[in-house]
Amino acid sequence: MRGCKANDWPSESPGLRPVGEKGRPDGAARPGRRESPRRDSWRAGQTLTVPAEALRVLLVGSGRMGSAMLRGWLGQSITDPAAITVVEPDEDRRNQAGSAHGVPVSPVVPAAWSGDAVVFAVKPQILDQVLPAYRSHCAASCAVSIAAGKDLRTLAHGVGDTVPIVRAMPNLPASVGQGVSVAVPNDHVDAGIRERASQLLGAVGAVHWIEDETLMDAVTALSGSGPAYVFLLTEAMAKAGERAGLPSGLSRSLARETVAGAAALMAATDDDPAQLRADVTSPGGTTEAALRVLMDDERWASRVDRAVAAAAARSRELAAVRED
Ligand SMILES: NC(=O)c1ccc[n+]([C@@H]2O[C@H](COP(=O)([O-])OP(=O)(O)OC[C@H]3O[C@@H](n4cnc5c(N)ncnc54)[C@H](OP(=O)(O)O)[C@@H]3O)[C@@H](O)[C@H]2O)c1
């Protein structure tokens, strides 16, 4: 067992703003959201005992995605609250992590930390400023970044050229443990670190590894932005239901529950979506009548193609701007 006094840390470090001006609680439980088991609050100054086998993680940023990962790590018991340290300047979010999850928190970069992984979950716009303060922390562990559009070269520039780095792209359903992440390693990532990153990312959904970083723009366009495409389809279905005579509330519920149910069905089977579609399409039936309209002259498919291509192009543009 290791002892760790998590907030014995120096004052302000580069890249950190003064704390607590913003008053945004981290949100109460939403229906369907998986909560980690209730734990005792962590109190400032409290020394926690870290189980020797626990994965020790420094989480930088506890906003939407960082807090989702934190919930996943604890909910899946892949580590222990005492083994996680959260750095977060926003007082409400910091208190939320400390009180709801019992993890040590700090508004500033911990001076002395040693562990297994530093996970960066801050906005891409500030990442360059934040990274250098964590050089020594990453040197003896590894860095995992989920910042959109920040490539391995930029990350290495920030934390050090010899640091094992995993760049990952999760998506929004991670907040309910149903996300999908695509991860790409740099040359210093060995099998052990890959496994560690898989555990951390896998706590909030599926994980796919790629070796070619240039695919990240297409990944962003498909799984990163993809949830919005499904929300758009749901909106369109709800409006169409209303126009077909359903009361608005009923139509919206039916659209939402139909999309959620179809997604759950897809997740529960290995059948291809095309096969599932064929299974519900009886010759001469209602579904066939609708699909004939939707699939008429390929406009539907080509519009999806163009949408994904536009998102990938925008991802490349944003990455180029961030490189400037
Ligand atoms: N949300 C998504 O669906 C999604 C999907 C894929 C990838 N991502 C990536 O995930 C990252 C986080 O996104 P998000 O949506 O979770 O953003 P977010 O909700 O704004 O969370 C970022 C958190 O980091 C805090 N922060 C700011 N400066 C910091 C510092 N120096 N040290 C530690 N924490 C700091 C922010 O505090 P303040 O608010 O006070 O600045 C905020 O609480 C981004 O890089 C994004 O590209 C997000």
Side-chain angles (χ1 to χ4, degrees), residues 5 51 70 112 119 142 156 168 174 196:
K5 190 165 179 184
L70 180 59
V119 176
C142 69
R196 213 181 286 171

Side-chain angles (χ1 to χ4, degrees), residues 14-17 21-22 24 59-67 87-90 93 107 120-124 126 130 134 146-149 168-172 224:
L16 277 166
R17 293 178 295 85
E21 328 90 304
K22 286 195 187 169
R24 283 166 316 183
L59 174 64
V60 183
S62 179
R64 265 170 306 181
M65 204 46 88
S67 61
V87 184
E88 167 61 61
D90 184 289
R93 289 175 173 178
F120 293 97
V122 298
K123 289 281 189 209
I126 63 156
V130 170
Y134 292 90
I146 60 164
M169 183 68 198
N171 68 358
L172 188 59

Side-chain angles (χ1 to χ4, degrees), residues 301-323:
S302 76
R303 194 163 276 230
V304 175
D305 279 353
R306 281 194 289 133
V308 170
R314 185 64 185 145
S315 172
R316 278 189 291 275
E317 273 171 23
L318 288 173
V321 169
R322 288 177 191 134
E323 290 291 293

